[in-house]
Amino acid sequence: MKEPLAAPHNDTGTARGTVTAVRGNVVDVRFEDGLPGLTHVIRAGKDNEMALEIMAHLDDHHARAVALTFTQGLAEGDAVVATGGSLRVPVGDELLGRMFNVFGKPIDNGEPLGKVQEWPVLRDPAPLSSQRAGDEVFMTGIKAIDLMTPLERGGKAGLFGGAGVGKTVVIMELINNMVGVHEGVSLFCGIGERCREGEELHREMKEAGVLDSTVMLFAQMNEPPGTRFRAGHAALSMAEYFRDEKKQDVLLLVDNVFRFIQAGMEVSGLMGRLPSRLGYQPTLGTELAEFEERISSTQDGAITSVQAVYVPADDFTDPAAVHTFGHLSSSIVLSRKKASEGLYPAIDPLASGSSMLVPDVVGRKHYDVAREVRATLASYEELKDIIAMLGMEELGRDDQLTVNRARRLERFLTQPFYVTEQFTNYEGKLVKLEDTLDGCARILDDEFRETPESALYMIGSIDEAGR
């Protein structure tokens, strides 16, 4: 059987076509002089203000595109023109302190950028020969994360949780804590964000004085799925510029990856592909891998990523969560049960984990303390059913001591955040790892057995418990 001939391409940017069908965000176009390549952007409408991305070649003269802008007013017979390449975004120091959409246009009511360098949003990951394996811990100042799930410099960390358990708050606190500690660039990518969240983040970062070393890129909830699907790629191109050209470390915060997957699912449905498990796109694994593999360390710098991942209905067997887990070096799981008990950040240390938590990387003391904390909390979890049925009095002395330690550890691992001061009236704390290890070790040694649990709640170092 002969291979079908490939459709003739016209990648010069001169291809002109005609709209043959408009179905919402899907537009079919006929080209007489050869088809633009896949992922190439074509323009339509008055002043070419509408952007569409070629997603499939139907035959030698017809292509199917997904809209990156709203298509109101586009009709059959309208002219389109090819741009000769895929979507491009501006890069450079001029981006610092600004907020952009997926096209690289400022959306912060500031001055236009002017003439700046542009990079395509779709780029190959750094070659394996130039990537560097990470064995350096990235400190955050958040006790529960630094102790139980240390982040890797140049690695990928995931914040997993359902709706309303505090993913965005933890990400905002990470941005705040990086000031003065992280001498690089922070890049916040909001995929499927509410406009309220973007405005609040911009205002708070300006008040905190961190805006000048931060770039923000948003694709809002009300924008077409094609736009939301490309937002993460656009942010990665901006981050890669600072890593490869400026030799800087970049902290990339993505909120959230599930919206990226969801946008891909919508695009897949628009293209008429048969859905896979639970309605997800059949290309879920490939699309996520293409995104995640671009986040890496090289000899020049590192892109360290913290990604919020919404977990539908708190189901961690959902394909979106399962596929994301496989790419991460640290997984921080936020628990609705912890949040309901007022234990913030609502991190579940038993469900969370990190490939960095080994003696060769974090040191023997850190490893031993973290392991003992995990064992104590696990024992307490097993005893909860007995306590609920029979009460604490029926436990043996050793079990009572375990429960005493575990409840104090749970409260010590809570922490007041700077970004929530106005809501909680607790002054924000940034805690060094040494203070966290010292506090946990002293609780495990029963030094605070007679201290009220409330004295350990929402404090920084353990020395504050005696005040």
Side-chain angles (χ1 to χ4, degrees):
M1 182 177 174
K2 286 187 176 180
E3 288 290 322
L5 293 174
H9 282 196
N10 184 338
D11 294 343
T12 62
T14 60
R16 294 183 176 275
T18 306
V19 174
T20 59
V22 181
R23 295 183 299 279
N25 287 312
V26 179
V27 180
D28 288 351
V29 184
R30 178 178 176 82
F31 291 91
E32 294 295 344
D33 302 324
L35 297 172
L38 292 176
T39 74
H40 281 206
V41 172
I42 57 176
R43 292 278 181 174
K46 184 182 177 183
D47 299 325
N48 291 333
E49 78 278 7
M50 293 183 191
L52 309 106
E53 184 175 346
I54 301 289
M55 286 291 183
H57 293 154
L58 305 179
D59 56 36
D60 285 0
H61 294 288
H62 290 85
R64 182 161 290 165
V66 168
L68 301 178
T69 54
F70 297 110
T71 57
Q72 284 93 336
L74 190 64
E76 183 180 350
D78 284 358
V80 300
V81 60
T83 61
S86 59
L87 191 64
R88 301 177 73 85
V89 288
V91 294
D93 290 335
E94 295 85 356
L95 275 60
L96 295 171
R98 304 297 302 273
M99 183 191 291
F100 301 92
N101 63 14
V102 75
F103 299 102
K105 299 284 174 30
I107 54 173
D108 53 6
N109 293 327
E111 293 292 321
L113 274 183
K115 191 170 179 60
V116 292
Q117 189 178 349
E118 290 186 339
W119 279 17
V121 301
L122 298 174
R123 306 179 74 239
D124 292 331
L128 281 174
S129 57
S130 68
Q131 291 188 22
R132 182 167 51 85
D135 58 357
E136 189 179 335
V137 175
F138 188 89
M139 292 301 171
T140 66
I142 299 174
K143 288 185 285 191
I145 294 177
D146 289 343
L147 174 69
M148 305 302 294
T149 59
L151 307 189
E152 174 191 351
R153 176 181 174 268
K156 298 180 272 282
L159 272 169
F160 292 83
V165 293
K167 298 184 296 297
T168 302
V169 172
V170 173
I171 277 194
M172 289 167 64
E173 184 72 5
L174 283 169
I175 295 174
N176 185 84
N177 289 1
M178 290 309 105
V179 188
V181 179
H182 177 72
E183 297 178 357
V185 174
S186 293
L187 203 153
F188 182 91
C189 175
I191 305 175
E193 286 287 280
R194 303 168 184 87
C195 59
R196 168 185 60 79
E197 292 174 332
E199 189 277 328
E200 285 176 359
L201 183 67
H202 185 270
R203 177 161 34 85
E204 287 172 6
M205 292 177 75
K206 191 172 184 179
E207 290 171 359
V210 303
L211 195 60
D212 290 343
S213 60
T214 304
V215 182
M216 284 180 281
L217 186 143
F218 285 93
Q220 297 175 53
M221 273 185 173
N222 66 326
E223 295 190 63
T227 305
R228 285 180 270 125
F229 187 56
R230 288 297 178 222
H233 300 289
L236 276 170
S237 290
M238 293 176 176
E240 285 167 344
Y241 171 85
F242 287 107
R243 181 194 66 188
D244 299 338
E245 299 296 320
K246 306 296 288 187
K247 319 292 187 197
Q248 289 179 293
D249 282 0
V250 182
L251 177 64
L252 174 65
L253 301 126
V254 183
D255 191 6
N256 78 56
V257 170
F258 176 77
R259 302 291 177 207
F260 165 75
I261 293 171
Q262 192 177 46
M265 179 168 59
E266 292 178 52
V267 169
S268 180
L270 290 170
M271 297 304 296
R273 299 180 189 135
L274 285 173
S276 183
R277 186 176 162 219
L278 296 185
Y280 285 102
Q281 63 271 40
T283 51
L284 165 60
T286 305
E287 290 169 358
L288 188 61
E290 286 173 350
F291 173 76
E292 296 285 0
E293 287 304 303
R294 289 174 63 184
I295 303 170
S296 61
S297 292
T298 68
Q299 305 303 325
D300 299 324
I303 299 177
T304 303
S305 173
V306 180
Q307 308 166 19
V309 186
Y310 168 69
V311 181
D314 294 340
D315 177 14
F316 284 87
T317 64
D318 188 271
V322 170
H323 277 277
T324 307
F325 268 121
H327 292 279
L328 306 174
S329 54
S330 301
S331 301
I332 303 163
V333 176
L334 299 178
S335 158
R336 193 172 301 282
K337 187 169 179 291
K338 296 274 186 191
S340 68
E341 294 171 1
L343 301 174
Y344 289 103
I347 295 170
D348 184 347
L350 300 180
S352 306
S354 170
S355 61
M356 302 296 284
L357 193 58
V358 291
D360 291 344
V361 175
V362 298
R364 174 55 65 178
K365 180 184 177 183
H366 183 168
Y367 175 73
D368 287 343
V369 170
R371 189 175 62 172
E372 188 65 27
V373 167
R374 188 184 297 274
T376 302
L377 294 175
S379 298
Y380 176 43
E381 200 65 33
E382 293 172 359
L383 293 168
K384 279 183 178 178
D385 287 342
I386 298 173
I387 296 169
M389 290 187 290
L390 303 176
M392 278 278 290
E393 296 76 17
E394 296 302 315
L395 297 178
R397 176 169 170 74
D398 288 345
D399 286 343
Q400 288 187 14
L401 287 173
T402 297
V403 172
N404 183 292
R405 295 183 200 115
R407 290 182 62 84
R408 280 155 179 75
L409 284 170
E410 282 184 337
R411 279 143 188 80
F412 178 62
L413 291 177
T414 61
Q415 186 169 340
F417 281 178
Y418 290 99
V419 296
T420 59
E421 282 181 358
Q422 57 183 319
F423 307 112
T424 63
N425 291 326
Y426 287 109
E427 182 186 349
K429 307 281 185 183
L430 189 149
V431 185
K432 294 179 181 177
L433 176 63
E434 295 77 22
D435 293 336
T436 302
L437 294 175
D438 176 59
C440 290
R442 289 166 67 182
I443 292 171
L444 291 167
D445 288 339
D446 290 331
E447 185 177 327
F448 293 87
R449 187 170 63 187
E450 304 300 329
T451 304
E453 294 173 4
S454 57
L456 297 165
Y457 180 69
M458 286 294 174
I459 62 173
S461 68
I462 196 71
D463 295 330
E464 297 175 30
R467 294 178 189 172

